[in-house]
Amino acid sequence: MSKDPQDPTERDGEVSRREFLGATGAALVVTAAAPVAAVGQAQTPAAAPQRPRTTIRLTVNGASQRVEVDDHWTLADLLRDRLKLTGTKLGCERGECGACTVLLDNTPVYSCSYLAVWAEGRTVLTVEGLARGGKLDPLQEAFIAHDAPQCGFCTSGQLMSAKALLSRNPTPTPADVRAALAGNICRCSNYNRIVEAVVAAGAASKSSRTGGAQ
Ligand code: FES
Ligand code: FES
């Protein structure tokens, strides 16, 4: 092939542009064909990598549990998929909606954003643990009485945040309830009735403690 005298890359002792493009194209063809050739060869399947797993002990709704978990499992995964406690709901799965709220040593946590291995030695309370002896918790009774659940998807998370509030502040004001439940979103926007229910549950527990005296 004759050289193009106008092409500055076509000088003696140097790789011309045409030669470079030709060589590059050949290399690309070889590279693209390589996997095809490899497919035809007998391959020894690689051993599947072992998933890191850890055995943890924790107490869930009053029962001691010893479970082996994948290290990447969230507490919600453990509760829902392993322990079958599906009352804890998963909405956003990224710490925004509060549907997955459970109590960890009486403190609300988003179980979608908390690793199961971190719960080693801790005490977990889920919505399934609120009722005692077949009797609903007074907070659950108040939610029913005040029509606090609409679709109900957020309800277990709302109940757990409210339970933590009432344990540290037995007679909250509406403002207290709104502040405590700020991390629990209700897609049905039934906030007023949820707040009414929690305030009523607090008032009812105060009345039962004092025998009705104000
Ligand atoms: S599912 Fe956990 S915060 Fe939304
Ligand atoms: S009752 Fe439907 S999301 Fe709260």
Side-chain angles (χ1 to χ4, degrees):
M1 182 179 297
S2 64
K3 293 184 178 179
D4 180 354
Q6 302 303 315
D7 189 334
T9 67
E10 297 198 352
R11 293 191 288 269
D12 289 341
E14 296 181 19
V15 178
S16 75
R17 184 175 58 192
R18 289 176 191 161
E19 289 166 343
F20 173 78
L21 291 175
T24 304
L28 288 174
V29 169
V30 169
T31 304
V36 177
V39 167
Q41 298 170 1
Q43 297 283 315
T44 303
Q50 292 289 314
R51 291 173 311 190
R53 293 175 71 78
T54 301
T55 298
I56 62 172
R57 292 178 179 79
L58 70 167
T59 301
V60 181
N61 298 336
S64 296
Q65 301 281 352
R66 182 179 182 277
V67 282
E68 188 180 26
V69 299
D70 281 13
D71 286 1
H72 67 85
W73 283 5
T74 65
L75 181 56
D77 293 333
L78 168 62
L79 295 171
R80 290 177 51 84
D81 300 339
R82 181 67 185 275
L83 301 181
K84 307 304 178 191
L85 296 171
T86 53
T88 298
K89 301 304 180 194
L90 284 173
C92 66
E93 295 192 58
R94 57 183 188 186
E96 291 180 354
C97 73
C100 64
T101 304
V102 300
L103 300 192
L104 193 71
D105 295 333
N106 294 321
T107 299
V109 298
Y110 290 159
S111 61
C112 74
S113 305
Y114 192 93
L115 288 178
V117 292
W118 294 343
E120 161 69 28
R122 313 287 297 270
T123 296
V124 179
L125 183 68
T126 72
V127 71
E128 289 91 345
L130 289 180
R132 294 288 169 86
K135 191 171 185 319
L136 292 178
D137 187 280
L139 189 53
Q140 293 171 301
E141 298 279 15
F143 264 56
I144 294 169
H146 289 265
D147 282 336
Q150 292 298 298
C151 78
F153 195 82
C154 72
T155 303
S156 53
Q158 305 277 6
L159 283 167
M160 301 319 292
S161 291
K163 182 73 176 175
L165 169 65
L166 292 177
S167 68
R168 65 177 187 274
N169 178 3
T171 52
T173 64
D176 294 334
V177 177
R178 286 192 196 94
L181 272 57
N184 293 85
I185 293 172
C186 177
R187 294 179 301 186
C188 301
S189 201
N190 205 31
Y191 295 108
N192 287 345
R193 291 187 177 186
I194 292 169
V195 171
E196 286 172 14
V198 179
V199 170
S205 70
K206 180 181 181 184
S207 178
S208 67
R209 287 195 308 274
T210 61
Q214 296 298 309

